[in-house]
Amino acid sequence: MLRFLGFGCPYGARRLAAAVSHRRSRVRTRTRVRIRLMLGFAPAAPPPSPRPASKAEPDKGFPMRIVAYVANSGSGTASSFDVRLERPVTTTTVGSGPTGVGAAPDGSHVYVANGLSDSVTFIETTSHKAVATVPVGSYPFSAFPSRDGSQVFAANWGSDNVSVIDTASRKVIATPAVGELPHSVATLPDGTTLVTNSGTNNVTVLSKAHEPVAQIPVGDFPSGIVATVKGDRVYVANTGSGSISAIDPVTRKVVATWPVGKAPLGLGVSPDGRRLYAADSGADSLLVIDTATGGVLSQVPVGKTPQGVAVSPGGSRVWVTNEDSDSVSVIDPTLTKVRVTLRTGHNPEGIAISPR
């Protein structure tokens, strides 16, 4: 499958999209494993055994305000966890092949991109129930909100565009074209949106009016993307290059490229912007990176084929999904070790933590 996903592929955008559509049920679960095999990656030390999700009731003595949601692409569900207690809450049925997750700024909802259903599910975080399903483009890989919460951006891997959803009406209001095989989305305080394009090795910049205004070249197979809280830096994981690109959103240029890890994928950033966290899917580890120098400060072994990364609001915990271990690792970034490993559904990928 690696040949179809942009590593020197001679096919054009339409043939790439057709190939993805034809074999869509196998793209996500096979791609990461084949990347590792083709590039000769060896697994890191095994993580702690996952804690079973047998007791899934929240603590009734205190209100649960911060929740982590994990998209289980192999089971069509989203697992939720109490971030404070580090324990499972419940499982919500969503669409088929869910991959990306985004959390509303006010914490009221999370949004799940259903890759095999061509839709985005809205989950209300108090009840943990799916309250709406919005049809979008072909194979949406990620669903991420604007900073003001008024819109959600679904990167449609199979149709080379982005569906802009109005969160009030829960309808698509725009569908701007981007590059080939759009993967993930980051949004900025000024209303700008950035989208990684795995097939064309670049990042599309969308204006507040959802118009493509720039294409920023990055490394091979760009996947994960994250912006700082202030919006003064954007980081892109170049999975095929084993590197991370740092982008200045004002100049819309890459200001640094850091060779880190074997196949960095999901990204998270600390609230103060001083630390970047990258899931190295090729080494089964979480990389802790100094954003001032690009140096790797530590490498924390997690589960097999880590995918998504989410940072708790205060920055005291980093959560990492492990696709081939059916688990999520909870890490203390100050001690750089796994605190606990929790069971998820099958093939967990995206993760988001409600901000409050």
Side-chain angles (χ1 to χ4, degrees), residues 257-348:
T257 300
W258 304 325
V260 294
K262 293 182 178 180
L265 191 58
L267 298 178
V269 66
S270 62
D272 62 8
R274 297 174 62 185
R275 297 289 181 267
L276 181 68
Y277 306 105
D280 190 346
S281 61
D284 296 344
S285 64
L286 176 74
L287 305 177
V288 181
I289 301 165
D290 183 346
T291 58
T293 65
V296 176
L297 301 174
S298 59
Q299 185 172 345
V300 184
V302 291
K304 295 180 180 179
T305 323
Q307 296 279 315
V309 177
V311 182
S312 64
S316 63
R317 299 289 183 267
V318 180
W319 290 57
V320 181
T321 59
N322 307 306
E323 182 182 14
D324 292 325
S325 294
D326 291 348
S327 67
V328 60
S329 299
V330 184
I331 296 159
D332 183 334
T334 60
L335 300 177
T336 59
K337 69 176 185 179
V338 175
R339 287 174 48 84
V340 65
T341 301
L342 303 168
R343 289 286 185 188
T344 62
H346 189 43
N347 296 139

Side-chain angles (χ1 to χ4, degrees), residues 99-105 109-113 120-122 136 140-156 162-167 183-189 192-195 206 210 225-229 267-269 309-311 350-353 355:
T99 49
V101 188
H109 295 80
V110 294
Y111 314 104
V112 182
V120 171
T121 296
F122 284 48
V136 292
F141 189 87
S142 61
F144 199 80
S146 59
R147 293 293 182 99
D148 64 5
S150 65
Q151 298 169 347
V152 175
F153 299 85
N156 299 314
V162 171
S163 295
V164 184
I165 304 170
D166 177 78
T167 56
H183 191 286
S184 297
V185 175
T187 55
L188 301 180
T192 301
T193 304
L194 294 95
V195 184
L206 299 176
H210 315 128
I225 185 170
V226 69
T228 59
V229 173
L267 298 178
V269 66
V309 177
V311 182
I351 182 171
I353 296 178

Side-chain angles (χ1 to χ4, degrees), residues 1-2 5 7 26-41 73 99 139 141 157 181-184 196 198 220-224 237-240 262-266 279-284 304-308 321-324 347-349:
M1 182 56 64
L2 194 64
L5 299 183
F7 290 95
R26 300 176 59 190
V27 170
R28 292 298 308 132
T29 56
R30 303 298 183 209
T31 299
R32 306 309 175 199
V33 174
R34 292 192 180 192
I35 289 174
R36 298 177 66 206
L37 292 176
M38 291 186 69
L39 300 182
F41 298 150
S73 63
T99 49
Y139 203 97
F141 189 87
W157 172 281
L181 307 180
H183 191 286
S184 297
T196 56
S198 299
D220 292 339
F221 200 89
S223 53
N238 304 308
T239 307
K262 293 182 178 180
L265 191 58
D280 190 346
S281 61
D284 296 344
K304 295 180 180 179
T305 323
Q307 296 279 315
T321 59
N322 307 306
E323 182 182 14
D324 292 325
N347 296 139
E349 297 196 44

